[in-house]
Amino acid sequence: MRIDEFNEMDAADARALALVWAAIPRWADGVVVRRPYSSAEELAEIAERLTRTWGRVELDAALAHHPRIGAKVSGADAEAAASRSEQSSMADADAGVAARIAAGNVAYERRFGRVFLIRAAGRTPDEMLAALESRLTNSDGDEVREAVAQLAEIALLRLRSTVHEPIEARMPS
């Protein structure tokens, strides 16, 4: 989608799209209300700035929509499709690594009371396992900050993969 198309969307449709990027209503509203954007980069910069206000409340709200790493993602909506794409490297994960991630997910949920969240896109199963095992040693406060940072990375990756400049704006003159 071009930035001008995002700018011209009905507010409810733009909000629904922003909620796919991160299921945080206050953030989605903030992204939508600041339209029109002069560029996709401006949209990404404002969206990133708005993520800096996120904390435990926003994390808990968003995690209601995130599957476990390595779990089969069901559903046909845009958020499910994004999660399937982002976790695609898990399809080829070694059985031992997949089992350790599954066990790590259980340990993480017992320890922190929420689903382990990591930007899976661009990471191998081994990298996600290493992060999971490392983060199990975090304090609760440190882990909230890390999980929020991962949530912001996911949101901005989804935004950037959805909204872009018009083709003519991207071509060298």
Side-chain angles (χ1 to χ4, degrees):
M1 156 184 307
R2 296 184 323 260
I3 186 63
D4 57 306
E5 293 172 314
F6 179 72
N7 284 335
E8 294 167 5
M9 287 177 87
D10 172 79
D13 291 339
R15 183 179 192 270
L17 178 59
L19 287 169
V20 170
W21 303 334
I24 301 173
R26 181 176 53 85
W27 177 81
D29 292 340
V31 167
V32 171
V33 77
R34 287 169 173 79
R35 294 179 308 159
Y37 293 98
S38 62
S39 66
E41 188 55 37
E42 180 190 22
L43 166 60
E45 288 171 4
I46 297 293
E48 189 277 328
R49 189 174 328 132
L50 292 171
T51 68
R52 295 181 202 158
T53 66
W54 292 354
R56 185 184 309 267
V57 170
E58 291 79 12
L59 177 64
D60 290 344
L63 285 179
H65 301 276
H66 277 272
R68 287 183 181 97
I69 295 296
K72 184 170 174 75
V73 179
S74 60
D77 63 358
E79 191 160 359
S83 290
R84 273 191 295 277
S85 174
E86 293 159 0
Q87 290 198 39
S88 63
S89 71
M90 286 301 298
D92 299 323
D94 173 79
V97 171
R100 288 175 61 198
I101 288 174
N105 281 334
V106 171
Y108 184 95
E109 289 171 29
R110 277 194 202 121
R111 171 131 167 63
F112 295 110
R114 63 184 161 272
V115 173
F116 172 70
L117 182 69
I118 189 168
R119 177 194 41 80
R123 288 194 168 110
T124 67
D126 288 315
E127 290 169 328
M128 289 184 275
L129 174 60
L132 172 56
E133 290 175 343
S134 172
R135 286 172 52 190
L136 279 167
T137 66
N138 281 350
S139 69
D140 189 54
D142 287 344
E143 185 52 27
V144 166
R145 283 185 288 282
E146 179 59 34
V148 164
Q150 292 297 309
L151 180 61
E153 284 186 31
I154 293 165
L156 296 172
L157 181 69
R158 288 178 177 183
L159 180 157
R160 288 179 187 277
S161 70
T162 306
V163 181
H164 55 81
E165 303 301 337
I167 292 172
E168 57 274 8
R170 293 183 282 165
M171 296 179 68
S173 27

